[in-house]
Amino acid sequence: MKSYNVAVIGGDGTGPEVTREALKVLAVAGPKFGFKLNYTNYDVGGERYLKTGETLPDSMIEELRKQNAIFLGAIGHPDVKPGILECGILLKARFALDQYINLRPVKLYRTEDCPLKGKEPKDIDFVVIRENTGGIYTGVGGVVQKGTPMEIATQVMIYGRPVVERCVKFAYDYTRRRNRKKMLTLVHKCNVLTYAGDLWVRTHKELGDRDYRDIKQDYNHVDACTMWFVKQPEWYDVIVTENLFGDIITDLAAIIQGGLGVAAGGNINPEGVSMFEPMGGSAPKYTGQNVINPIAAIAAAGMMLDTLGETAAAVAIDKAVTGVLNSGKIKSLAAGKMGMGTTQVGDLVAATI
Ligand code: IPM
Ligand code: MN
């Protein structure tokens, strides 16, 4: 039997609760589809930082490197200053493990969860591939004369061709494998970002013309893309974009698919170890109340299986989630309004696999 080693970071707030439900579903999927998951728990997050001053130590990165995948519940603590945990844990893992793809499937499961008038599940079903380790997130830049009236600060959208190429290549391969409209939309702002944007535009075209003649090439400026997400989301199949633009449009995408209760993402290193997470935060005020929605975490677990190569099991989880959400049993996707508890939602999905 195939077996995989998975690092589990439950994290802060409601992170451990949603993680439990995801593992509950995986515990059913494993025996059914013939694989085994061996878990190692890592104590990472705001609590640990407050106790020890440590975020994600280098020694832990070295251990994570040896795993087949990482599952992350949520990171975020009301007593920790913003930025410390984001940079010290999430971004550190992305950079150190070179998780250069942020994969965000955007799928509306139920019409009633969509804030857009007249849109149905068939209209909102696309994937955003966000470059995950470059651009403005690299932190290149600086500040001079800080605190004076003449202060100058820069933060640079830096991209090298190899970093753009590997991302665009992943996106083309993904579009081909997805096999729907076979259209890859590049989202950028090349009308203004005539250097950094142009590098993406040329790479998208060159790779497409050379190796992916079966894939349609499409382009949106990022500002226009936000309008089309609202007006005509059914246009999209797969989107590829740079880091900051991707950060912004994937939040918009999350809300049109029904919100953070269902939005899942993967930080992928196609040649290394990837990390999967529900997009919602740690939601500290709901901690321990059994009211948070675990669907996003369960969907993230499905993505993890897909990336590990357990495609049939991943499809089964997606079907189970879709089935449960359309059973009429879950009233709303919002925390505290589901009409049942976190653990009951997990039970329902697990029973449907
Ligand atoms: C995300 C988050 C992170 C980001 C933050 C928490 C650093 O917003 O995963 O989208 O900006 O990438
Ligand atoms: Mn974000």
Side-chain angles (χ1 to χ4, degrees):
M1 200 190 306
K2 274 202 163 171
S3 91
Y4 306 97
N5 297 325
V6 175
V8 177
I9 301 174
D12 298 315
T14 52
E17 288 169 59
V18 295
T19 300
R20 247 183 324 266
E21 300 315 307
L23 300 193
K24 184 190 276 178
V25 171
L26 290 173
V28 176
K32 188 136 187 191
F33 291 90
F35 62 87
K36 195 174 173 309
L37 298 170
N38 312 309
Y39 298 116
T40 309
N41 281 294
Y42 287 88
D43 176 19
V44 175
E47 288 298 339
R48 179 189 162 115
Y49 172 74
L50 290 172
K51 261 184 268 154
T52 67
E54 275 185 332
T55 47
L56 187 56
D58 292 341
S59 60
M60 212 181 265
I61 292 275
E62 290 319 309
E63 286 182 42
L64 293 176
R65 221 184 271 290
K66 295 184 202 125
Q67 303 280 341
N68 297 114
I70 304 165
F71 188 90
L72 176 76
I75 299 286
H77 197 291
D79 302 337
V80 180
K81 213 172 93 197
I84 293 177
L85 302 173
E86 291 87 336
C87 295
I89 298 172
L90 200 53
L91 296 182
K92 178 157 179 187
R94 285 178 186 172
F95 283 112
L97 301 172
D98 201 18
Q99 294 164 338
Y100 61 87
I101 298 293
N102 194 311
L103 190 62
R104 277 277 293 107
V106 182
K107 181 169 160 167
L108 174 67
Y109 294 99
R110 318 188 298 187
T111 303
E112 65 262 43
D113 301 320
C114 185
L116 305 178
K117 188 174 66 184
K119 297 300 177 194
E120 297 168 29
K122 69 168 174 37
D123 300 318
I124 300 178
D125 190 354
F126 60 93
V127 176
V128 180
I129 292 168
R130 161 186 173 193
E131 199 291 320
N132 208 31
T133 55
I136 226 162
Y137 277 72
T138 50
V140 171
V143 58
V144 290
Q145 297 176 304
K146 191 171 175 177
T148 74
M150 295 305 284
E151 177 168 350
I152 293 171
T154 66
Q155 205 121 17
V156 182
M157 184 183 277
I158 180 168
Y159 269 109
R161 186 178 268 273
V163 170
V164 177
E165 258 179 22
R166 65 183 184 174
C167 177
V168 172
K169 178 178 185 312
F170 180 93
Y172 271 118
D173 286 332
Y174 189 94
T175 309
R176 187 179 272 165
R177 173 169 171 240
R178 180 170 150 92
N179 199 20
R180 299 270 183 94
K181 286 191 180 179
K182 294 191 134 189
M183 181 177 77
L184 180 62
T185 305
L186 170 66
V187 168
H188 213 293
K189 183 74 186 172
C190 67
N191 52 344
V192 173
L193 304 179
T194 48
Y195 310 127
D198 188 51
L199 175 57
W200 280 85
V201 168
R202 279 182 288 119
T203 305
H204 179 244
K205 178 160 189 338
E206 279 165 26
L207 278 187
D209 289 351
R210 194 185 69 201
D211 298 332
Y212 302 94
R213 301 292 290 266
D214 53 324
I215 309 293
K216 278 195 276 309
Q217 297 174 23
D218 181 42
Y219 175 85
N220 278 179
H221 292 319
V222 63
D223 48 350
C225 168
T226 63
M227 292 202 293
W228 291 117
F229 270 19
V230 173
K231 175 85 176 161
Q232 202 182 336
E234 60 274 22
W235 173 259
Y236 297 104
D237 180 16
V238 181
I239 290 171
V240 64
T241 191
E242 71 85 41
N243 206 344
L244 181 64
F245 293 156
D247 178 47
I248 296 166
I249 66 171
T250 52
D251 267 24
L252 178 55
I255 210 71
I256 67 172
Q257 75 175 124
L260 295 176
V262 291
N267 300 274
I268 311 247
N269 176 341
E271 296 88 34
V273 50
S274 303
M275 179 166 76
F276 300 86
E277 50 171 339
M279 297 320 298
S282 59
K285 69 176 175 183
Y286 295 123
T287 307
Q289 293 179 32
N290 198 37
V291 296
I292 197 85
N293 189 343
I295 293 284
I298 294 168
M303 291 179 70
M304 178 171 85
L305 293 184
D306 193 42
T307 306
L308 288 170
E310 296 295 337
T311 317
V315 170
I317 291 182
D318 189 53
K319 278 209 178 115
V321 165
T322 307
V324 165
L325 285 174
N326 285 291
S327 66
K329 291 179 183 145
I330 299 177
K331 288 206 187 77
S332 153
L333 302 181
K337 297 188 179 136
M338 297 190 292
M340 67 175 73
T342 307
T343 52
Q344 281 76 41
V345 176
D347 289 345
L348 273 178
V349 180
T352 315
I353 297 288

